[in-house]
Amino acid sequence: MTSMSSASRKRASPGRSHICRLGLVQLACQEQPKRNTATACRLVEKAARQGADLVVLPELFRTRYFPQREDAAFFDRAEPIPGPTTKRLGRLARKLGITLVAPLFEKRAPGLYHNTAVTLGPTGRIIGRYRKMHIPDDPRFYEKYYFTPGDLGFAVVPTGKAAGGISLGTLICWDQWYPEAARLMALAGAELLAYPTAIGWWRGEPAQTRRRQLEAGVPMRKAHAISNGVFVAAANRIGVEDELEFWGHSLVCAPDGRVVARAEADEETVLLADIDLQEIAQQRQGWPFLRDRRLDAYGGLTRRYLDAPASNDDP
Amino acid sequence: MTSMSSASRKRASPGRSHICRLGLVQLACQEQPKRNTATACRLVEKAARQGADLVVLPELFRTRYFPQREDAAFFDRAEPIPGPTTKRLGRLARKLGITLVAPLFEKRAPGLYHNTAVTLGPTGRIIGRYRKMHIPDDPRFYEKYYFTPGDLGFAVVPTGKAAGGISLGTLICWDQWYPEAARLMALAGAELLAYPTAIGWWRGEPAQTRRRQLEAGVPMRKAHAISNGVFVAAANRIGVEDELEFWGHSLVCAPDGRVVARAEADEETVLLADIDLQEIAQQRQGWPFLRDRRLDAYGGLTRRYLDAPASNDDP
């Protein structure tokens, strides 16, 4: 394996040495969306007071995790984008001069909804929109009932000067299990992968299984950081909601995989981390994985399984 | 995130419940290839005595890690496949009734060499051949000078009854940093990804950098296991060779990412692990990541970088 020496770090092209202060909001969600929005705004203000340039809220922060049940009544919680929440949060972003990632339940058309993360720039305008591409469906996580899989692909948001000029790749929760998503964002120029999440344990789960599940998330985030040479951040919710207990542990990893910030399982907090973009070029010079990808041999990645001729394959 | 309960584990389709005992050989390499082959044979016999069905040797185990320097004299160390070493190891595999992964410096034609892992079945015959697809080139790891990138793709070896019927995906060292390689092997049906490696530190590296490098390898292996629902094993060398110190830490991960066996940094050893193939189906039912891949959005994975129109892209 390559061995990135201190000397080679020093030789790295200076590139941009901008530092972006990232703030991840970790919160518990209550029954009333208004109350959750108020809590989120309070924590976003706190992050900005602490110098954050870029703040990330957890997945679907305005509501309890309604996909625990399939109930058509919950579709009423969706809202258009732009809509009331993006207006309110846009005003807040402008006031604070920050960039803000706000994950919302998007109503696109009657009967057409997405699990979406909007990026609001420091002018208050929407500068990016990501619709969750990989949608789970498992007991107590019935997301396929609510959310149409995203159709905007893996697009990077250039945040401009306000957030240190960082190129932001927003992904959501279940996406974190897909190396394809992380790679495509990195190939599109992402320097930070931000994952708003709503990850938790089923309360009926034995302690050993819980620990194992929690421990499985961390190497995925580290591996996305290492294999792509990017920063990775995940902002999770906390608290008990019916049968689920959300496990917090919001996290920031550097491009070499080291954890630079990590929250506890149960604290409402703003997790701060300074992201030095120069570290990306340094890391990729030391571990030049992007150089050696075998494009000629990756065709099978667009197939479901390699057990049949391509002509019989979905989609 | 999905929450795989004990109940759902029990509901899992029984499938094959074959258990394969895996033996990873971790050894130090000396100057004389004959001596290394003798050491390898001794440790393979030891593994078989301890019940191993499938034994994996480290990358290029017959020689010191010659790619530390570019020297045409080292090409003489390559040998054809089949050749003297595959004959000798084939006889050994037949005698012991095991399946054996033997990484060799393959001479294919004058001026055409590969870094290759041969799989020898319990009949002594070659049942699989993998030519390292991702070739590093960094200070002290000048592999691009010696090894032509593999042209056999990511093909799975069905081992047959002797190794519990396991479908084996052999990859080599630098491949471990590429989620594409792991995914393609899993899509081709691999149940175990076996990585012979030669990973080490440059001796001039500070302790903190060493620790960080070592720590970066583990989440990659775990992430391949988790995201694909497969077992992952890595067999590394140990010992000091000129400027490099190989760090051992051979490892086996289960499909949920837990480490089931791990060797120390400096011990010559046979690391044993029992692989229950049933765990793969159970894990993939609990965490059904293969179900939700977005084939329609993965086209960019066959491009070098997404900064230019496809028509201008390599290759």
Side-chain angles (χ1 to χ4, degrees):
Chain A
M1 200 196 65
T2 187
S3 173
M4 185 168 65
S5 67
S6 308
S8 70
R9 284 181 180 266
K10 280 175 201 146
R11 278 198 308 276
S13 142
R16 288 176 296 159
S17 62
H18 297 134
I19 287 178
C20 166
R21 179 162 288 184
L22 176 65
L24 303 181
V25 171
Q26 177 169 296
L27 49 68
C29 297
Q30 312 301 329
E31 198 52 56
Q32 291 303 320
K34 277 188 184 174
R35 198 169 153 196
N36 295 324
T37 304
T39 303
C41 289
R42 175 173 57 78
L43 292 166
V44 169
E45 295 215 35
K46 184 179 172 187
R49 275 198 310 276
Q50 295 178 331
D53 306 299
L54 172 61
V55 181
V56 181
L57 289 163
E59 183 182 15
L60 299 169
F61 72 94
R62 288 189 68 248
T63 55
R64 289 220 169 203
Y65 186 73
F66 57 84
Q68 278 196 66
R69 296 200 305 279
E70 296 197 357
D71 183 341
F74 288 130
F75 285 112
D76 291 344
R77 308 223 170 159
E79 58 176 304
I81 296 172
T85 303
T86 59
K87 275 180 196 156
R88 177 163 178 191
L89 294 177
R91 280 196 303 271
L92 182 65
R94 191 174 63 227
K95 183 181 101 176
L96 302 172
I98 61 161
T99 301
L100 178 58
V101 176
L104 298 170
F105 183 15
E106 179 185 5
K107 180 176 182 174
R108 186 174 179 184
L112 187 54
Y113 303 85
H114 295 284
N115 186 330
T116 299
V118 178
T119 305
L120 299 153
T123 63
R125 292 214 189 117
I126 293 173
I127 59 171
R129 182 191 309 224
Y130 171 76
R131 291 182 176 137
K132 189 172 181 175
M133 292 288 282
H134 301 96
I135 308 291
D137 189 300
D138 297 293
R140 292 169 292 277
F141 293 83
Y142 302 109
E143 294 198 17
K144 287 195 195 297
Y145 175 69
Y146 295 102
F147 309 126
T148 297
D151 57 352
L152 299 177
F154 302 97
V156 164
V157 182
T159 60
K161 282 183 196 168
I166 202 164
S167 290
L168 174 66
T170 302
L171 295 163
I172 302 177
C173 206
W174 192 242
D175 291 324
Q176 81 179 312
W177 306 101
Y178 293 84
E180 292 92 341
R183 180 68 97 201
L184 285 164
M185 282 293 191
L187 294 181
E191 295 164 311
L192 166 66
L193 305 182
Y195 293 83
T197 65
I199 302 188
W201 297 291
W202 173 45
R203 300 191 75 199
E205 210 79 83
Q208 191 192 23
T209 308
R210 290 177 174 219
R211 201 190 61 239
R212 206 171 280 169
Q213 291 179 351
L214 176 62
E215 285 175 358
V218 177
M220 288 306 307
R221 295 163 189 175
K222 288 185 176 183
H224 296 325
I226 295 163
S227 57
N228 294 295
V230 295
F231 288 88
V232 171
N236 195 25
R237 69 170 68 191
I238 59 170
V240 173
E241 302 180 23
D242 299 330
E243 290 194 57
L244 295 177
E245 182 178 342
F246 294 92
W247 70 46
H249 278 101
S250 298
L251 186 83
V252 184
C253 293
D256 64 357
R258 74 186 193 281
V259 173
V260 293
R262 183 169 185 167
E264 294 302 315
D266 53 4
E267 53 173 349
E268 179 187 281
T269 190
V270 173
L271 189 68
L272 295 170
D274 285 342
I275 289 180
D276 183 349
L277 294 180
Q278 203 172 348
E279 201 176 322
I280 291 171
Q282 288 169 342
Q283 182 65 24
R284 289 186 185 173
Q285 285 174 19
W287 289 358
F289 304 139
L290 293 185
R291 180 191 61 193
D292 297 329
R293 295 177 65 245
R294 290 295 304 270
L295 310 186
D296 59 314
Y298 290 171
L301 294 171
T302 57
R303 292 178 57 197
R304 186 66 66 202
Y305 203 66
L306 300 172
D307 54 355
S311 57
N312 294 334
D313 215 35
D314 63 345
Chain B
M1 199 194 68
T2 188
S3 173
M4 185 169 65
S5 67
S6 309
S8 71
R9 282 181 180 268
K10 281 174 200 147
R11 278 198 308 276
S13 143
R16 288 174 298 159
S17 63
H18 297 133
I19 287 177
C20 167
R21 180 162 286 185
L22 175 65
L24 304 181
V25 172
Q26 177 170 297
L27 49 68
C29 297
Q30 311 301 329
E31 198 53 53
Q32 291 303 320
K34 277 188 185 173
R35 197 168 152 196
N36 296 323
T37 304
T39 303
C41 289
R42 175 173 57 78
L43 291 167
V44 169
E45 295 216 34
K46 183 179 173 188
R49 275 199 309 276
Q50 295 178 331
D53 307 299
L54 173 61
V55 180
V56 181
L57 290 162
E59 183 182 14
L60 299 169
F61 72 94
R62 289 189 67 247
T63 54
R64 290 221 169 201
Y65 186 72
F66 56 84
Q68 279 196 66
R69 296 199 306 278
E70 296 195 359
D71 183 343
F74 289 130
F75 285 112
D76 291 343
R77 308 224 171 159
E79 61 177 304
I81 296 172
T85 303
T86 60
K87 275 181 198 158
R88 175 162 178 192
L89 294 177
R91 280 196 303 270
L92 182 64
R94 191 174 62 226
K95 182 183 100 176
L96 302 172
I98 61 162
T99 301
L100 177 59
V101 176
L104 299 171
F105 183 16
E106 179 185 3
K107 179 176 182 174
R108 186 174 179 184
L112 186 54
Y113 303 85
H114 296 283
N115 186 329
T116 299
V118 178
T119 305
L120 299 154
T123 63
R125 292 215 188 118
I126 293 173
I127 60 170
R129 181 192 309 224
Y130 171 77
R131 291 182 176 138
K132 189 173 181 176
M133 291 287 283
H134 301 97
I135 307 290
D137 189 299
D138 298 292
R140 292 169 293 278
F141 293 83
Y142 303 108
E143 294 198 17
K144 287 193 196 297
Y145 175 69
Y146 295 100
F147 310 125
T148 297
D151 57 353
L152 300 177
F154 302 97
V156 164
V157 182
T159 60
K161 282 183 197 168
I166 203 165
S167 289
L168 174 67
T170 302
L171 295 163
I172 302 176
C173 207
W174 191 242
D175 292 323
Q176 80 177 315
W177 306 100
Y178 293 83
E180 293 91 343
R183 180 69 98 201
L184 286 164
M185 282 293 191
L187 295 182
E191 295 165 310
L192 166 67
L193 305 182
Y195 293 82
T197 64
I199 302 186
W201 296 292
W202 174 45
R203 300 191 75 199
E205 210 79 81
Q208 191 192 23
T209 308
R210 290 177 176 220
R211 202 191 59 239
R212 204 172 283 169
Q213 290 178 351
L214 176 62
E215 286 173 358
V218 177
M220 288 307 306
R221 295 163 190 176
K222 289 185 176 184
H224 296 325
I226 295 163
S227 57
N228 294 296
V230 294
F231 287 88
V232 171
N236 196 25
R237 69 171 68 192
I238 58 170
V240 173
E241 302 179 23
D242 299 329
E243 291 195 55
L244 295 177
E245 181 178 344
F246 293 93
W247 70 47
H249 279 101
S250 298
L251 186 82
V252 184
C253 294
D256 65 357
R258 74 186 194 282
V259 172
V260 294
R262 184 170 183 166
E264 294 302 316
D266 52 4
E267 53 173 349
E268 179 186 282
T269 189
V270 173
L271 188 67
L272 295 170
D274 285 341
I275 288 180
D276 183 349
L277 294 180
Q278 202 172 349
E279 201 177 322
I280 291 171
Q282 288 169 341
Q283 182 64 23
R284 290 185 184 174
Q285 285 174 19
W287 288 358
F289 304 139
L290 293 185
R291 180 190 62 192
D292 297 329
R293 295 176 67 245
R294 290 295 304 271
L295 310 186
D296 59 314
Y298 290 170
L301 294 170
T302 57
R303 293 179 56 199
R304 186 68 65 201
Y305 203 65
L306 300 171
D307 55 355
S311 56
N312 294 334
D313 215 34
D314 63 340

